[in-house]
Amino acid sequence: QVQLVESGGGLVQAGGSLRLSCAASGRTFRSYAMGWFRQAPGKEREFVAAISRSGSTYYADSAKGRFTISRTNAKNTAYLQMSSLKPEDTAVYYCAAGVGNSYYSVRMYDYWGQGTQVTVSS
């Protein structure tokens, strides 16, 4: 059982940067893989990035080279550093925790945060 709270969303100009944080409750954080997903209005929730329990990282093609996922287990926190942001990155971003290894699948994650809005202006 874990509770997740995202923060760091906001309005940013195209080409700018933003860092999202996901704070988790409890001492079980290191037992979970962490993922970031996003959902734009009228679209399905899509995978952005994930990090395994051991620190291996995985990225959607749209995120690779621009976004970096990381985790600090001592702080029970996962991060998504976003740079070179584009208007098409505009979405609600959700962090998630799961115990499997199907990192790209929304169904692998058991726990979800409330989401944080990211808006990129052109």
Side-chain angles (χ1 to χ4, degrees):
Q1 186 175 350
V2 62
Q3 292 181 328
L4 306 174
V5 179
E6 302 99 332
S7 62
L11 176 65
V12 65
Q13 303 271 15
S17 298
L18 209 58
R19 190 192 195 196
L20 306 182
S21 298
C22 177
S25 65
R27 288 191 172 187
T28 60
F29 177 77
R30 64 180 60 196
S31 298
Y32 294 89
M34 300 296 297
W36 286 95
F37 291 76
R38 68 188 183 188
Q39 188 166 24
K43 295 186 177 181
E44 188 175 333
R45 189 168 299 188
E46 67 176 2
F47 171 80
V48 177
I51 184 166
S52 73
R53 295 180 297 118
S54 62
S56 298
T57 57
Y58 308 85
Y59 296 94
D61 289 341
S62 60
K64 190 175 183 179
R66 300 189 299 128
F67 295 2
T68 301
I69 188 171
S70 61
R71 66 190 296 162
T72 303
N73 291 338
K75 295 183 178 181
N76 286 1
T77 304
Y79 305 92
L80 184 68
Q81 177 67 51
M82 305 184 292
S83 61
S84 301
L85 284 162
K86 307 172 182 179
E88 49 263 47
D89 294 319
T90 295
V92 176
Y93 283 70
Y94 299 89
C95 68
V99 297
N101 59 7
S102 299
Y103 305 113
Y104 302 93
S105 175
V106 66
R107 294 184 295 274
M108 195 274 280
Y109 299 91
D110 301 306
Y111 305 100
W112 294 83
Q114 83 288 350
T116 186
Q117 176 71 48
V118 172
T119 302
V120 184
S121 62
S122 60

